Structures are given as structure tokens and as C-alpha cells.
Amino acid sequence: MPVLLFLIDTSASMNQRTHLGTTYLDIAKGAVETFMKLRGRDPASRGDRYMLINFEDVPLGIKAGWKESHATFMTELRNLQAAGLTTIGQSLRTAFDLLNLNRLVSGIDNYGQGRNPFFLEPSIIVAITDGNKLTSSGGVQDELHLPLTTPLPGSELTKEPFRWDQRLFSLVLRIPGHATVEPEPLGGVPPDDSAITPMCEVTGGRSYSVFSQRMLNQCLESLLQKIQSGVVINFEKTGPDPPPGEDETLKPGPQSWHCCHKLIYVRPNPKTGVPIGHWPIPEGFWPDTNSPTLPPRSAHPHVRFSCLDSEPMVIDKVPFDKYELEASPLTQYILERKSPHTCWQVFVSNSAKYSDLGQPFGYLKASTALNCVNLFVMPYNYPVVLPLLDDLIRVHKFKPTIKWRQSFENYLKTMPLYYIGSLRKALRIMGAPNLLADNMEYGLSYSVVSYLKKLSQQTKIEYERLIASVAKKVVAEGGIKVRDRGGDISLAQRRDFTQLLASITGETAALPLELNSKEFSGFQLAPLNKSLKPQGFRNAYDIPRMHLLDQLSRMRRNLLSTTCLLRGQDTDQLHSVPIAQMGNYQDFLKALPQPLRDADPEQPKRLHTFGNPFKLDKKGMMIDEADEFVTGPQNKGKRPGSDSNMHGVWGGGPKRRRCMSPLLRPGRAYSPPVSPAASPFRPPIAVFGNLYNPETCETGTTVQPGEILSGPLLDGPGTGNRMEADGDTEEENGLPREVELSEGSEDGGETVGVVEEQCPARYPSPAELKKVMNSESLEVNTELRALITKEIRKPGRRTKLPHFSPMTSFRCDIYFMVKLLVQMFPKTGCVIWGLCVWRLAV
């Protein structure tokens, strides 16, 4: 995951305008946005992390760090202003410290245990400046100096402030204020001669001298190619030069390829996206288990290569690491020799115990196609250990002899102890995991290990402190200074000098104390903070004079209101939300108080329908031919007619969709508006739930949906309980109170009996009428309804009815009309459906 840190010069000189009409700071902002757009085209940019630092002091100078989002980065970039000094040295130190903040915690540097190229965090620092003189509070500087003191723990373990996977690139803006008639130079962008250029070259980067917008775009394209995963290494030649070739002439003196400061590419694994390696690059010292401290290391390892031709060694089952070198004079010279079958061994000075040059840990070799040069990293002193491992595999078949063990132990004495972990993993891959003892030490003393653990804890605390300070930074605005208008007036010039002198000598009473202006010499008045929102309900001084009466009435309304508001909001602020925050529903839920626990945990929770009131849970929904759906777990076997499904009204089918019309809701009484009686008698109206008599405004017999009213009940006015006009006879389950079962009853007989006792009936009782009707039709309707519903739910569309001959379009229309009638009036519809089936069968 590359880290891209932009260091923007915000000194006052960045306000100068170019012939394009924009300032240097505007060009710098546009360059950053253009770079991010170009980088976004690469699929590898998904893991990029952007940081932003300007020339202010810490923590104000860190605009976007480890925890800030991309939106925060863009906001801070647009809000940058050019005001201040060119403190590029302090800002660079802040940038390096910010990048190195978490390295000790993660263990990337691996101090005292060798340098692992596959443990890296590639970082690119892009500094955009105008290249003017370096200014600070101490004066003007000609050279760039980074502060030596830093609050970062563990900085003494590395000589330089940067690391080997961090590079600095600088865009020095030299765009003139007047358009020039001279043509722009063709070719690449030349480096700049400003003070930041040497720092760029030391880290492995470079500087660009930008004279036009076209050159700026060219520099941005070049920077995109520099975003590579790799580490910088110093390659230096040791020993004599190689013999010249047939067409080559030996040049006296040092050559450009003798010393190169270039990158080696560390390619990530295509499957995991993380680099994988086996062997480290040795340290520049021999590890001592008795040493209380670690010597500081250089940021870039110094690798020496010998120009003596050697044969490359690779053994099956023995892992090795291969890294490609960045194009440099060294790679060009090796490729020009056209020797892909020979190699040059590489060393690290003072890595061995008894040798200044050390033992070889790998070699440089040109590829077979002669298109690149690779660095092969092998086990330490590989010319000795690889033949031993080859004999172990081929000759001894992983059963070493005593002589072989003695040779292997002699090799271990010449190998740095921090190679034991890598060697043990390699032997496990080969199939010989028991050659090394588990109790072998790793080369660090107890004091060094304790010191590194302590540094890791301190670094973690410093990391959290800096992150918190960046998130909570407050720009300190200068107050209004109080000037002393009196000045330094001599006491002899005061009008009351004589009285003052007499009071000092004690001849008269002491004069009253006066205000001493020197006591308030540094007094300042705090200016109005425009970023704070006025809070009229807390601070009366935030209320304008013309809005005092309106605010008073608003506060009175908030005081007397019983509406539960959020903390710190009044009624007006509750609905005054910016458009950009209207959809932020999650933050609104977090601000609400914690709801109480549900009384019935088994009760299904209400579906979250924010943004879509018609949202349905499609996971448990089944749709059939009759356009009915059933939510929840489905029972594809038999369909039980439990009491919870019937509610005393339905026959035993599944729970159906609630009807939206109040006239068609089963088990619910509907009372139309009562008009004056036009005749002394009006027949009762049968509605779902109760029998309603509009003449007397009374309800009586409970009528089931789909039942057909007949008999003497229609010949006269009905009797029953008085129904309240406000609809209080309904309960929460949708059933009238008159039909609810009393405690200990099995049916509605007791309830009907109570009705009869209250008002004697002149006609057959409702219970008797209900028995007569149900005894004749209930059994037939239930059986017929179950059979027909089964036929309806069979798959297939409007082709033909099951068990019947093909019908005409007219019969199809009758068929689906009856189906709709069955849905609306289950019992009555079933009777009509049976008649239709009988008629079609005949």
C-alpha cells in the first residue's frame, strides 16, 4: 500500500502570480488534483494513502495524516493559504517523522536482525515549492538543514531521518510572470539547482525544474512511473575492474557505474498482494549477545560487488529471492558485457566475524534475455552452505552423517545468528526441520530486546497522541492587542507631582492607587470566532437586537413544549439541517437515546424501511397464481388451520394480506353516517363482524365474512348491545368486543347468551340461527374450498383448468372472476365456485 505524501510550500512567496494569471499556490493545488486523477486510472491505486503537510508548525502543519479520509484531504488542500516563512527543513522532518511513526510498532525495520526487503512500506514525498531562499525565525539560510532533535522514539537507531523505502521528489516552480518568446527546451525536464535537490538525490529521488504548464504535466506523468514497490540500496565496486571485452577500451579513473544509488523492485505476490521473501540483507556489524546497545545503521545498506566472474548457484528445494534493479549506469554496463551465464558476488562490509569485507550473500546477474539485471539474495556465505544442502538432498537422502554435521556446525559458526530463523524455515521447506535446535539464540542480548520493546510501547503512545492532536487541532487566532496610549511619562511632568511627593514623604495622606498600565502590557481582546454557530438559547449576547422578541417567544415555546429533542437542539434547529447532511440517518440514530428492551423478544422486529416505506422482506415471500404472498418461514407440506391463523373468523387457510379498504376488513364493524329515519322500519344491514341495524343504531348477531343472511332475521329490526359512535367496541386484534370469548369459554355461546339476557329476542336467537346455517354449509364449504384452493395453487397459467376440457375466452374470464371472488368472500365465493364447476362439468 503506497503512501503518497504531498508537502506544499505555503510561504508568502507562493502568492506571486504567473503569466497564466494564477498564483504558485493555485498551480500547486491543481497539480495535486491532476496527479490524483491520473493515479486513479491505475487499478493498483485502490490501496493508496494520501497525506498532506504544509510549512506550519506541528500539529497545525499536518493537514491529513494516518486517520484522515480522502474528503478531509481534499478539503484541507483547497483551504491552504500562503502566509509564513519557507521552513522547508522543519517541514521535511515532520514528514519523515509522520511516516516513521508506526514502524517500530509494526517491526518493519527489524533492527539488529538483518534488513528484509520484503518488509517495506513504500512512500513517495512530493514537495512543491518555488525554490526561493530558505527563511526561518533565525534568518535566511543557503543550505537545507533538518533538525537533529525529534520527539520520535527510536530515531537514534538510524543515522538519517528517512528510511530505505522512502523517496523525495521535488517540483520547483519556475514559471515566469511574463510570457517568454523563447521556445521551450525539448526532451526531459532538467533538475533544479535549489537547496532541496541534494536531499532528493540522497533519498533516491530527484527534483524537477518546471518552467511551463506543459512541463508540469510531463513531471506528473514521470512521478506516476516512480510509484514502485522497492527499496534503495547503495552499490559500490570493490576490487579491480573486470577485463575489457573485445570492442571495449579501458577508461582510467572512476566510472559512473562504480557507485550507484538506485532502487531494487520488490514485486508483491500476485495472489496475496504482499511481497514474500526468505533471506535478509546482512547488517553492517557482527551481532554480539553481550552488547547492551545496538549500533546505529545507515538508512540505505552499502552493498559491495566484486567484478570477478563467478558461476550462479541455484539448488532445487532451496529458496532464494530475486529482485530487479532500477535502470542505472551499473545495469547498462552489465548488460553491455552480454554475459548472462556469469555473475558478480555481493558483500556487506563488517558482516562477518573475522573478515572486513564479509562473506557473499548473493550475486548480480543479467537476465537470459539481457533486458534487466537481477539481484539474487541467497543464504549467508552461500558458496559453502549450498553444496552441503545439495549433498544432504542427493547423497544422504536427508539422513546426515557425522562428518556432514560437523561441516554444517562449522558453517553455523561463521553465519550471523539472525539468519537462524530464515535458515530454519528453508530447512522446513526442504523437508529437514530437525537440523537446527529450537533453543538457538538470535543474536540480541536481553537488554537490547527490552529496549526495543520499550521503544515500541513509547512509539505507540506517541502515535496515538499525534493522531489525537491532528484530529483536534484548533487554529489559534491572534487577539486584539491593547495599546498603552499613556506612554512612558515622567513623574515630574504630572500635574499632581507635588501632592505625590508629599504623600511619599508622609507629610500628607497617601493618594488613592491608580491603574498601572504596565500590568496589562500583553493584554489582548479575544476576537469573534466565526466558526462557532451562535447559540441564542445559551448566550444572550449572540442574539441580535432586532431578534430579541422573536428569540424570547421561541425560548418560551421550547420551554413549554413536551417534544423530546436532541441534546443541544431547539425546535428550529431540529429541522434546520444542511442538504448535504439530510441523508445522514445513521448519525441521527446514534444521537438518539438507547431504546428499552423489547417486552416480547420472540415478537418479530419491525422491518427497517428508512428511505423506502414499501420495502418488503423478499427472503420469506412466496407468490402463487392468486397473487397472494405469505411472509416468514413457509410450510410446503400440509397447511394447518391453527387458532392463531383463524382468529375465529377464517376457515384454516394461510394468513392473507390485510385489505386496505375498511369496508372489506374481516372481523371489523363499520358504522356509516346515521341519517334521520325516513320510515318507521328499515331492514338491518349485514357487515363483516356484526349485524348492524341503522334504525336503532344497534349491533347484534355476529356475521362471518361470506355468510348469506336469510330467515326471519331480515323481517324486523335487530336487537343487541348499543354500539358506541366513536368505535370503542374494537380491540387491538381487530375483533369486536361482543364476539370476544370470555375466560373459560370454548365458543361464542356465552357472549351471545349475555346479549339475549340483556334484551329478549322476538325471533330465533342468533346462536340457533348460526347452528342452522353452519350445520348445512360448513362441512361442504370447507371441503370444497380446500379442493378448489389446491387446484388454484397448481402451477400453470391461462391454458386450461385441471380436470376440465379447454374453455373459451368467455369461460376463462368467468374462471378468474370467480377466483377474485373467492379471495374477497371465501365462503360465499366457494359456493359460487362449486356451482360454476358443476355447470362446466355438465
Side-chain angles (χ1 to χ4, degrees):
M1 184 177 65
V3 179
L4 303 176
L5 191 150
F6 292 94
L7 180 60
I8 308 299
D9 185 357
T10 54
S11 60
S13 59
M14 293 290 288
N15 285 322
Q16 56 181 319
R17 292 190 176 274
T18 65
H19 68 276
L20 302 175
T22 56
T23 63
Y24 276 178
L25 185 60
D26 296 334
I27 294 177
K29 295 179 181 179
V32 175
E33 295 181 356
T34 304
F35 180 86
M36 297 177 66
K37 291 179 181 178
L38 296 176
R39 175 62 179 170
R41 300 174 184 175
D42 190 357
S45 63
R46 296 179 179 178
D48 293 351
R49 181 183 295 277
Y50 292 95
M51 298 183 182
L52 181 64
I53 295 179
N54 66 350
F55 281 9
E56 296 182 71
D57 295 335
V58 180
L60 299 179
I62 304 177
K63 301 302 181 181
W66 289 101
K67 295 295 184 179
E68 280 67 34
S69 62
H70 179 74
T72 303
F73 176 90
M74 297 304 298
T75 302
E76 294 292 343
L77 176 66
R78 298 188 183 99
N79 294 337
L80 289 180
Q81 296 181 0
L85 303 177
T86 312
T87 56
I88 191 170
Q90 179 64 42
S91 301
L92 275 177
R93 185 71 196 211
T94 302
F96 288 129
D97 289 348
L98 181 63
L99 294 176
N100 300 332
L101 197 58
N102 203 31
R103 296 180 73 93
L104 275 177
V105 180
S106 60
I108 292 179
D109 290 327
N110 201 29
Y111 288 106
Q113 300 292 308
R115 302 169 184 259
N116 295 315
F118 45 90
F119 286 171
L120 79 165
E121 193 174 56
S123 304
I124 302 293
I125 302 177
V126 181
I128 305 179
T129 178
D130 55 357
N132 287 338
K133 292 291 184 179
L134 307 180
T135 57
S136 63
S137 57
V140 180
Q141 302 174 358
D142 296 332
E143 296 180 354
L144 177 63
H145 297 282
L146 271 67
L148 299 179
T149 59
T150 175
L152 183 66
S155 58
E156 69 277 2
L157 296 177
T158 307
K159 299 178 182 179
E160 295 86 359
F162 51 86
R163 303 296 182 264
W164 66 340
D165 53 359
Q166 301 168 359
R167 292 179 293 166
L168 173 64
F169 296 89
S170 177
L171 299 178
V172 184
L173 302 178
R174 303 290 187 183
I175 303 177
H178 299 277
T180 58
V181 296
E182 299 179 359
E184 297 181 2
L186 300 178
V189 181
D192 197 77
D193 57 354
S194 58
I196 198 175
T197 300
M199 191 65 189
C200 296
E201 295 176 353
V202 167
T203 60
R206 58 157 298 183
S207 64
Y208 300 89
S209 186
V210 180
F211 292 94
S212 64
Q213 185 66 36
R214 184 193 64 82
M215 297 181 68
L216 179 61
N217 296 335
Q218 187 177 354
C219 294
L220 296 179
E221 294 286 349
S222 177
L223 285 177
L224 291 175
Q225 306 300 325
K226 301 295 183 181
I227 304 177
Q228 298 289 341
S229 177
V231 294
V232 179
I233 296 179
N234 280 323
F235 290 97
E236 296 180 5
K237 182 185 74 69
T238 181
D241 290 348
E246 298 179 356
D247 300 336
E248 184 181 2
T249 58
L250 185 61
K251 298 180 181 179
Q255 305 296 324
S256 59
W257 59 271
H258 287 177
C259 182
C260 288
H261 190 71
K262 290 297 180 180
L263 188 77
I264 62 170
Y265 300 115
V266 183
R267 307 296 184 186
N269 188 5
K271 295 183 179 179
T272 61
V274 179
I276 297 178
H278 303 88
W279 306 103
I281 296 176
E283 297 278 0
F285 59 90
W286 179 259
D288 186 5
T289 56
N290 298 324
S291 176
T293 59
L294 282 176
R297 63 161 62 157
S298 59
H300 301 150
H302 293 272
V303 176
R304 299 180 179 272
F305 60 92
S306 174
C307 297
L308 298 178
D309 292 341
S310 303
E311 293 184 1
M313 300 179 63
V314 175
I315 298 178
D316 295 339
K317 297 184 179 180
V318 178
F320 63 91
D321 300 331
K322 179 181 177 182
Y323 306 104
E324 180 185 349
L325 270 68
E326 186 182 12
S328 63
L330 176 60
T331 59
Q332 182 181 359
Y333 180 79
I334 295 177
L335 294 176
E336 289 177 354
R337 297 182 72 247
K338 297 181 180 179
S339 299
H341 303 293
T342 60
C343 64
W344 290 351
Q345 293 180 347
V346 291
F347 310 84
V348 172
S349 298
N350 302 321
S351 61
K353 189 174 184 180
Y354 303 108
S355 175
D356 293 338
L357 182 60
Q359 302 297 334
F361 69 92
Y363 52 82
L364 294 174
K365 177 183 174 298
S367 61
T368 307
L370 296 177
N371 54 4
C372 65
V373 177
N374 298 317
L375 170 64
F376 288 81
V377 180
M378 312 292 290
Y380 192 79
N381 199 5
Y382 73 93
V384 175
V385 68
L386 288 185
L388 288 175
L389 297 178
D390 189 40
D391 292 343
L392 178 66
I393 298 173
R394 299 178 183 273
V395 179
H396 304 293
K397 305 299 181 182
F398 296 101
K399 296 180 180 179
T401 61
I402 298 177
K403 183 179 180 180
W404 188 92
R405 287 186 177 274
Q406 291 178 352
S407 302
F408 187 70
E409 291 178 357
N410 292 333
Y411 161 75
L412 293 179
K413 295 178 180 179
T414 62
M415 181 192 71
L417 293 179
Y418 49 78
Y419 268 88
I420 291 178
S422 302
L423 184 59
R424 181 178 285 112
K425 293 180 182 179
L427 292 176
R428 189 183 301 114
I429 295 174
M430 294 170 52
N434 299 324
L435 289 179
L436 293 177
D438 295 335
N439 58 355
M440 296 187 66
E441 298 179 354
Y442 284 82
L444 294 180
S445 62
Y446 176 77
S447 59
V448 172
V449 174
S450 301
Y451 177 65
L452 292 177
K453 290 182 179 179
K454 182 180 179 181
L455 287 180
S456 178
Q457 296 176 359
Q458 293 178 357
T459 306
K460 187 175 182 180
I461 295 175
E462 179 65 20
Y463 173 80
E464 295 176 354
R465 186 197 64 80
L466 182 61
I467 294 301
S469 63
V470 172
K472 298 180 181 179
K473 59 187 178 182
V474 178
V475 179
E477 297 183 0
I480 303 174
K481 296 183 180 181
V482 178
R483 299 177 58 184
D484 185 13
R485 296 292 183 180
D488 298 334
I489 303 176
S490 176
L491 295 178
Q493 298 180 1
R494 295 182 55 171
R495 297 180 180 179
D496 56 347
F497 175 73
T498 305
Q499 299 177 6
L500 180 62
L501 184 60
S503 64
I504 294 176
T505 58
E507 296 178 1
T508 60
L511 295 177
L513 297 178
E514 296 181 358
L515 181 63
N516 186 4
S517 60
K518 294 184 179 180
E519 295 180 0
F520 301 93
S521 59
F523 187 76
Q524 293 182 356
L525 296 177
L528 179 63
N529 192 353
K530 298 180 180 179
S531 61
L532 295 179
K533 187 177 182 180
Q535 297 181 351
F537 60 96
R538 289 185 177 180
N539 188 3
Y541 294 97
D542 288 347
I543 307 173
R545 182 188 180 99
M546 59 185 303
H547 296 159
L548 283 174
L549 296 179
D550 295 340
Q551 182 68 21
L552 184 61
S553 60
R554 187 182 298 111
M555 294 174 65
R556 184 184 297 108
R557 183 171 63 253
N558 292 336
L559 178 63
L560 300 178
S561 176
T562 60
T563 305
C564 181
L565 302 177
L566 297 180
R567 182 180 299 176
Q569 285 187 344
D570 59 1
T571 308
D572 297 336
Q573 292 180 351
L574 182 62
H575 304 285
S576 300
V577 182
I579 297 178
Q581 301 178 7
M582 286 185 176
N584 196 356
Y585 184 62
Q586 299 299 329
D587 292 347
F588 179 80
L589 291 180
K590 293 178 182 178
L592 291 178
Q594 185 69 18
L596 299 177
R597 180 179 58 85
D598 295 337
D600 188 5
E602 298 180 357
Q603 187 71 14
K605 295 182 179 181
R606 177 179 176 270
L607 183 63
H608 174 67
T609 57
F610 174 74
N612 184 8
F614 303 102
K615 185 178 180 181
L616 297 175
D617 187 8
K618 298 184 179 180
K619 296 182 180 179
M621 186 174 67
M622 180 182 69
I623 301 177
D624 58 0
E625 285 188 359
D627 295 332
E628 299 174 353
F629 69 90
V630 181
T631 59
Q634 304 297 333
N635 187 1
K636 296 184 179 180
K638 62 181 182 178
R639 302 165 57 194
S642 60
D643 294 340
S644 61
N645 292 334
M646 290 188 296
H647 293 287
V649 179
W650 297 98
K655 184 178 180 181
R656 297 184 180 274
R657 184 184 229 168
R658 187 181 66 176
C659 185
M660 295 295 104
S661 175
L663 290 175
L664 301 180
R665 293 182 184 175
R668 185 179 295 269
Y670 173 73
S671 54
V674 181
S675 58
S679 62
F681 172 73
R682 184 173 297 177
I685 301 174
V687 296
F688 291 161
N690 292 335
L691 186 65
Y692 174 70
N693 189 353
E695 187 70 26
T696 61
C697 298
E698 295 177 349
T699 57
T701 304
T702 300
V703 181
Q704 300 295 332
E707 289 187 357
I708 303 175
L709 298 180
S710 62
L713 183 64
L714 300 178
D715 298 335
T719 61
N721 295 336
R722 176 76 56 182
M723 186 177 68
E724 300 293 336
D726 55 356
D728 291 339
T729 58
E730 291 187 0
E731 294 292 330
E732 293 179 358
N733 57 1
L735 295 177
R737 288 179 180 172
E738 288 80 4
V739 299
E740 288 189 356
L741 299 179
S742 62
E743 185 176 359
S745 62
E746 297 181 356
D747 53 11
E750 292 187 8
T751 304
V752 176
V754 173
V755 175
E756 293 177 355
E757 291 178 2
Q758 294 178 356
C759 183
R762 297 181 298 171
Y763 303 100
S765 64
E768 296 177 356
L769 180 62
K770 185 176 182 180
K771 290 181 181 179
V772 173
M773 298 176 63
N774 287 344
S775 62
E776 297 177 355
S777 61
L778 180 61
E779 183 177 357
V780 177
N781 286 356
T782 303
E783 182 179 0
L784 185 60
R785 182 176 181 275
L787 293 176
I788 294 176
T789 305
K790 181 179 179 181
E791 296 295 335
I792 292 176
R793 292 183 179 276
K794 282 186 177 181
R797 284 295 178 182
R798 303 187 179 186
T799 55
K800 61 180 182 178
L801 284 176
H803 309 298
F804 301 109
S805 59
M807 299 185 302
T808 60
S809 60
F810 175 74
R811 293 184 177 181
C812 290
D813 294 337
I814 295 178
Y815 167 68
F816 287 102
M817 288 175 62
V818 173
K819 281 181 60 179
L820 181 60
L821 188 61
V822 170
Q823 298 178 31
M824 297 176 60
F825 308 98
K827 291 189 176 181
T828 307
C830 290
V831 176
I832 300 177
W833 173 260
L835 295 176
C836 293
V837 171
W838 173 78
R839 184 69 183 92
L840 293 174
V842 174

